[in-house]
Amino acid sequence: EVIGNNISNASTDGYHRQRIELTASSYGQTAGISIGAGVNVAEVTRLMDKLLEAEIVGQNSSYEQISQELSVMTTVETAFGEFSEGSGLNETMDAFFQALQGLAAHPLESVYRNDVVSAAEVMCSEFQRLGTSLEDLEDQIVMEARNVGDSINSLITQIAELNGKIQNVEVSQGQANNLRDQRDLLITKLGQLVSVGTQEREYGIVDVSVGGLPVVTGTVSIAVQVSLNDEGMLSVSAAENQGYSLNVEGGRLGGLMSLKNELLEGVSTELDTLARSIVDSVNRHQVQGLGVDGPFTELNGWSLGTEDLSALGAGVRDGTFYIRVTNTGTGDVERYAIDVDVSGSPPDTAESVAAKIDAIPGISSSVLSSQLHIVSDLEYTFDFLPVVLAEPTSTSFTAASPATVSVSGIYEGDENQTLTFTVEGTGSVGNGVLRLSATDEDGNLVSTLNIGGGYAAGDALKLSNGIQIALSTGQFNDGDSFEIDVLTTSDTSGFLVATGMNAFFSGASAAEIRVCSDISDSPDRVATAYGSALTDNAAALRLAGVRDERLDSLGGMTANEYYQRLVADIGQQVDLRESRQQNVEAMLQNLHNQRDEISGIDI
């Protein structure tokens, strides 16, 4: 019967060869001689190595986790692959910045503006494709993890039931080898879903634990629940105690959790970081400049969704932004500074900043439907150009007929400054020994300009930082001075970018990045100029320069370097898992061979 049972189960998964254990029968005395009474069947045992079986369960768990991770990461690698020229995110980013370089070379030609908008939309589409693909993968992983959780609970219940049957048979001195094989096979299958721990007890009972939780104790089972926690991470807990997360690893469930909580989360985070960095960097230059459309009569930002300015976009910080208001009837231009205080008590909100803007003559501002709205009065326009004002900010002249100072140019310095110009010598402009010494806020000498003999009144004198000074005829006394404010950026607070005023891109993630409708509907809104004449290309050059900027948000890398590192990291993750899968597969094959030698059936 035992031999027949072995032969019948030669192909049964999980079956261990059984063997009759024989013992000599007690002997008797016949004519004073001890005579043996034959042989007895002591028991029928399973031929198995328990340590070997436990190792197989553990390695199966590792193999299933690695295989699950490899399958998904290969899909991600394929999604990020650059299979044809002109496709892929890297190619579309290059095309966008090359279009901006073309615009910088031809700032007044509409065809180059259209190229910029078209290239930007293609780049956004590629970001959206990748972002959406990752989101879909994460949703599929969550669904699959919940299905695996249901399978785990089904196996746990069956193991507990078989424990009960085995116990009933063996308590009455019976043999439950076939039932034990069935139960151990279920434990092996459970190990393929999640790493398990086992503890054998009397009468063939095996207790099973998952992540430290005793899911099977004798004939009692505890279900587990797979869910998303408050941070959006996959979490496993006992069904009746969802507040305590189990430290689960191994098996398909361990692979799914690793993918959702670490691998895909890391890829999604880095891709979103890249998208936001491009959005913020491009918008930072775009909001300050103007296209050929010229200054604004009305602007609407995007929906804020929060009163906490520091939580918007790249975050608003304490600082100042400047608004230029032009009276189109008289041509008069005034610049107004709006201070933003997000660390104060209470901190500024969009409404409080709108109230400060609203106090500026010639324009009105409010927050409508959570969007910042600015509109000019009749015969007024406004902009955020960092261009220097045509007249000094302040003057301190003692001469009876001082010369008139005219200022122009676009500041090329690294930070906003107030430059002080001090006259050295006394006399008339264009005569004698007369100089202007320009110093910055720290007292460092910027330039020394000759305005005495050899200087013709009205000629522009160019400083090394891009600013130009022109003086009319007139007189100066030694020590006379004037100041001009020069701006590298017209927004040190980040408020304009965070609220979406005159923005190029919108969106806080790869899946959400878009070209703003104002730009796509009117490419003439693409900023090319920082000068009030709108004929320069300073803004277009800075926009194109984003390609080579080493951004703090990207760890000091450029956008292309950051993306290439991201793709390389994905490739390394795939290569690592392919290598580990091959190693574990070879180890499992060796373990199975050893088990077949011990427990297998040779017909």
Side-chain angles (χ1 to χ4, degrees), residues 364-390:
S364 302
S365 179
S366 60
V367 176
L368 302 175
S369 300
S370 192
Q371 294 177 303
L372 181 65
H373 178 73
I374 304 176
V375 60
S376 64
D377 296 345
L378 190 64
E379 294 189 353
Y380 283 89
T381 60
F382 65 93
D383 59 61
F384 311 104
L385 290 176
V387 63
V388 67
L389 295 179

Side-chain angles (χ1 to χ4, degrees), residues 110-178:
S110 60
V111 64
Y112 290 93
R113 296 177 180 274
N114 293 332
D115 286 346
V116 167
V117 173
S118 177
E121 289 175 337
V122 171
M123 181 184 72
C124 288
S125 295
E126 191 62 19
F127 265 116
Q128 292 162 19
R129 181 185 69 81
L130 291 174
T132 302
S133 296
L134 291 174
E135 289 179 354
D136 291 344
L137 267 178
E138 290 188 22
D139 291 342
Q140 293 171 16
I141 286 171
V142 172
M143 183 182 300
E144 182 63 21
R146 287 172 172 156
N147 292 337
V148 171
D150 292 339
S151 299
I152 289 173
N153 288 333
S154 176
L155 290 172
I156 287 170
T157 302
Q158 294 177 63
I159 291 170
E161 291 175 353
L162 282 170
N163 268 345
K165 292 178 181 179
I166 293 168
Q167 183 180 36
N168 291 337
V169 171
E170 299 197 358
V171 162
S172 59
Q173 305 304 311
Q175 299 288 336
N177 288 332
N178 285 3

